[in-house]
């Protein structure tokens, strides 16, 4: 039987089992939460692995972990279960919640947009959350729309460009360039670059190949990024909204004179059936007028 036909045998109990195990990393606790027995849960996971022809969960006497295949499937399982719950709510007339996520610096855009939407549609509940990685949350189905810094290279998403922001240089206090009001990329080529690998908007490809920085400090969120720069471990490059939203006594922001601007984007998943996504995109357009 080919994979396409085997997929017809996947049931929501398989997905619920995988999600429960991923959250608890313990078969006994996951079985209790699902109101089943541990042997039954083990058989459900074994059935899913047999359908897909790959190992999803590894366990021994001391630990339970997802394999790389299990981790990749997990996001889709979570997305499918959320979609099923929303479909059930829609069918039974339960009011749907519109979930919005955003990165911290974009609060000045998200606030007016949400207020405009709520004024236009007072009966719709909006849940707005700040994340370091809103793109990942959108892909996992934890939100319906996301305000992003930088255009996502993802064909599964629809996007609306809202504005563009200039880039700025974040320098540790006392840096040799803090006396300058504007700085060029080439002047930074010998600097150590502090780079947010999880949700940043800058990589070495911003420079010409001959001028690319060779020393990089990798961090995973904005707080680590700020602290690394403040400690003098390198410089950072970021959209102007970061400089407006975050401050640090040991960091000076300066204009980057010759770098392309960063688009600010509203994104949502193609084909998402939530009925209020078009209404929200229209509210965003009106809030920017």
């Amino acid at each position: 039987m080919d994979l396409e036909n085997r997929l017809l045998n996947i049931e929501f109990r398989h997905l619920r089992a995988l999600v429960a195990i991923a959250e608890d990393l313990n078969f006994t606790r996951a079985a209790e939460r699902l109101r089943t027995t541990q042997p039954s849960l083990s058989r459900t996971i074994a059935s899913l692995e047999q359908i897909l022809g790959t190992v999803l969960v590894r366990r021994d006497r001391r630990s339970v972990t997802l394999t790389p295949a299990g981790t990749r499937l997990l996001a889709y399982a979570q997305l499918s279960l959320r979609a099923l719950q929303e479909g059930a709510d829609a069918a039974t007339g339960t009011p749907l919640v519109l979930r919005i996520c955003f990165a911290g610096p974009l609060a000045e855009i998200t606030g007016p947009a949400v207020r405009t939407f709520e004024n236009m549609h007072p009966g719709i509940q909006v849940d707005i959350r700040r994340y370091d990685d809103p793109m990942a949350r959108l892909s996992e189905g934890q939100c319906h729309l996301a305000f992003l810094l930088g255009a996502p290279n993802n064909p599964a998403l629809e996007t609306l460009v809202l504005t563009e922001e200039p880039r700025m240089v974040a320098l540790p206090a006392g840096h040799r360039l803090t006396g300058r009001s504007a700085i060029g990329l080439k002047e930074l080529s010998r600097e150590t670059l502090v780079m947010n690998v999880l949700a940043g908007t800058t990589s070495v490809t911003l420079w010409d190949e001959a001028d690319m920085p060779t020393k990089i400090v990798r961090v995973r969120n904005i707080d680590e990024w700020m602290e690394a720069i403040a400690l003098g471990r390198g410089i950072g490059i970021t959209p102007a909204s970061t400089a407006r939203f975050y401050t640090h006594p040991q960091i000076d922001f300066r204009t980057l004179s010759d770098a392309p601007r960063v688009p600010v984007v509203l994104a949502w998943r193609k084909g998402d059936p939530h009925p209020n996504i078009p209404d929200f995109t229209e509210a965003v357009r009106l809030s920017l007028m």
Side-chain angles (χ1 to χ4, degrees):
M1 183 182 299
D2 59 32
L3 179 59
E4 184 176 353
N5 288 329
R6 280 185 285 149
L7 292 179
L8 297 176
N9 294 320
I10 295 179
E11 302 173 11
F12 279 98
R13 65 184 178 90
H14 292 120
L15 304 183
R16 290 178 65 238
L18 181 67
V19 169
I21 288 172
E23 292 176 349
D24 289 316
L25 295 179
N26 181 287
F27 270 76
T28 300
R29 289 196 298 270
E32 290 173 353
R33 180 141 61 97
L34 295 174
R35 297 182 180 179
T36 187
T37 63
Q38 183 177 336
S40 177
L41 180 59
S42 297
R43 289 194 295 270
T44 298
I45 291 297
S47 170
L48 180 58
E49 292 176 330
Q50 183 176 12
I51 291 170
L52 295 176
T54 188
V55 177
L56 302 173
V57 180
R58 287 199 180 97
R59 60 175 167 170
D60 54 34
R61 292 181 179 178
R62 291 180 293 182
S63 66
V64 174
T65 59
L66 296 188
T67 66
T71 300
R72 289 191 293 270
L73 179 60
L74 176 63
Y76 293 98
Q78 293 168 326
L79 183 61
S80 298
L81 292 173
R82 289 191 187 96
L84 177 63
Q85 182 62 58
E86 287 186 2
D89 289 343
T92 58
T94 303
L96 298 181
V97 176
L98 186 65
R99 298 190 301 274
I100 313 294
C101 56
F102 70 102
L106 297 180
E108 59 193 9
I109 292 178
T110 59
V114 171
R115 285 194 296 272
T116 300
F117 174 79
E118 289 180 332
N119 289 336
M120 295 170 61
H121 304 277
I124 306 301
Q125 181 181 345
V126 179
D127 182 6
I128 181 166
R129 300 286 179 90
R130 175 190 175 276
Y131 295 107
D132 288 324
D133 56 344
M135 173 66 184
R137 306 291 178 156
L138 177 64
S139 298
E140 294 167 359
Q142 295 187 37
C143 55
H144 298 103
L145 301 108
F147 289 89
L148 307 173
L149 280 165
N153 183 22
N154 187 334
L157 298 179
E158 298 275 7
T159 59
L160 172 65
V161 177
L162 308 179
T163 185
E164 292 184 332
E165 291 201 347
R167 282 183 164 95
M168 301 194 76
V169 185
L171 303 169
H175 189 277
R176 61 185 177 86
L177 294 173
T178 53
R180 303 273 299 279
S181 60
I183 300 168
L185 280 169
K186 197 163 187 176
E187 298 174 89
L188 302 170
S189 61
R190 296 183 181 276
E191 299 285 341
T192 298
L193 178 65
V194 180
M195 188 167 65
N196 183 344
V197 297
L198 186 64
T201 59
T202 299
S203 72
V204 294
T205 58
L206 195 61
W207 285 262
D208 293 333
E209 187 172 353
D211 297 323
M212 287 182 179
T214 57
K215 292 182 286 188
I216 297 172
V217 173
R218 292 175 172 82
V219 298
R220 295 182 58 82
N221 57 55
I222 185 65
D223 296 318
E224 292 178 2
W225 183 84
M226 296 281 287
E227 197 59 31
I229 296 169
L231 290 171
R233 293 177 179 167
I235 60 97
I237 294 179
T238 188
S241 57
T242 303
R244 294 192 298 271
F245 192 81
Y246 296 100
T247 59
H248 194 294
Q250 297 300 315
I251 296 177
D252 293 314
F253 289 93
R254 296 291 183 269
T255 299
L256 187 58
S257 60
D258 56 352
R261 290 176 171 252
V262 179
V264 178
V265 174
L266 179 67
W268 61 97
R269 295 182 303 276
K270 286 182 178 177
D272 191 316
H274 196 293
N276 297 117
I277 289 177
D279 300 325
F280 190 82
T281 60
E282 179 61 21
V284 170
R285 289 189 179 96
L286 291 174
S287 71
L288 295 173
M289 290 181 177

